[in-house]
Amino acid sequence: MINFNYETDFKLLEDAKISNWISSIIIKEKCKEDEINYVFCDDDYLHKLNVQFLDHDTLTDVISFDYSVGKKLQGDIFISIERVKDNAKDFNVEFESELHRVIIHGVLHYCGYKDKTEADASEMRLKENEALDMLQTM
């Protein structure tokens, strides 16, 4: 089950479509969907989590807490809408495109993809792009 929660005044457009898209990516990756909670928030909210749980005193766009067991995916994905907006401007892309990339990025981590090395980051970007292309056809 995909759940969307809001700690800011932002509301996701087409949440049923986005939920179906996420589920289809999970199936494509041969994983099973359990409970995945998305929490859309602001920089302050996410910064506090970053400091408290990861000991990182920086702003970030997304933090994922992975509670998956094997291929059964579950976890909490926190997304700062402020960071996504700023990143969209910095990368010269539409806000929705950057938001969708961040949304699927967390799930791809749960599926086993990493992004710490250059090679892993390249593979992650490829998977993100494939997922974004899939969303365009839904």
Side-chain angles (χ1 to χ4, degrees):
M1 172 187 279
I2 308 291
N3 300 304
F4 300 113
N5 305 282
Y6 304 93
E7 294 294 331
T8 184
D9 59 3
F10 169 82
K11 295 291 182 224
L12 188 64
L13 300 177
E14 300 183 303
D15 56 349
K17 178 181 176 180
I18 299 300
S19 180
N20 290 335
W21 170 60
I22 296 165
S23 296
S24 69
I25 296 301
I26 292 170
I27 291 166
K28 182 176 185 270
E29 292 297 325
K30 297 178 177 40
C31 294
K32 295 184 182 185
E33 178 182 316
D34 195 355
E35 188 167 353
I36 299 174
N37 297 299
Y38 283 88
V39 180
F40 298 98
C41 57
D42 60 19
D43 280 345
D44 288 339
Y45 189 101
L46 199 55
H47 180 252
K48 287 175 187 169
L49 291 177
N50 211 9
V51 170
Q52 181 178 359
F53 294 103
L54 303 176
D55 202 25
H56 297 157
D57 191 10
T58 59
L59 295 176
T60 188
D61 53 358
V62 60
I63 295 176
S64 299
F65 295 97
D66 187 357
Y67 312 124
S68 300
V69 178
K71 294 283 190 174
K72 190 174 184 182
L73 307 186
Q74 55 184 326
D76 298 318
I77 300 172
F78 295 83
I79 297 173
S80 169
I81 295 303
E82 289 174 284
R83 274 309 92 221
V84 172
K85 285 179 182 176
D86 285 350
N87 288 346
K89 287 178 190 171
D90 291 345
F91 300 140
N92 197 29
V93 297
E94 295 292 323
F95 166 74
E96 287 79 14
S97 178
E98 185 64 14
L99 177 63
H100 295 152
R101 182 176 300 281
V102 172
I103 285 171
I104 208 62
H105 183 90
V107 167
L108 289 171
H109 272 306
Y110 294 173
C111 292
Y113 295 97
K114 309 290 182 212
D115 58 4
K116 294 297 182 201
T117 69
E118 214 172 291
D120 287 347
S122 179
E123 183 178 22
M124 175 69 86
R125 184 54 55 125
L126 178 70
K127 287 296 183 177
E128 289 170 356
N129 289 338
E130 287 174 2
L132 291 170
D133 288 345
M134 183 183 252
L135 178 60
Q136 296 301 318
T137 64
M138 293 183 83

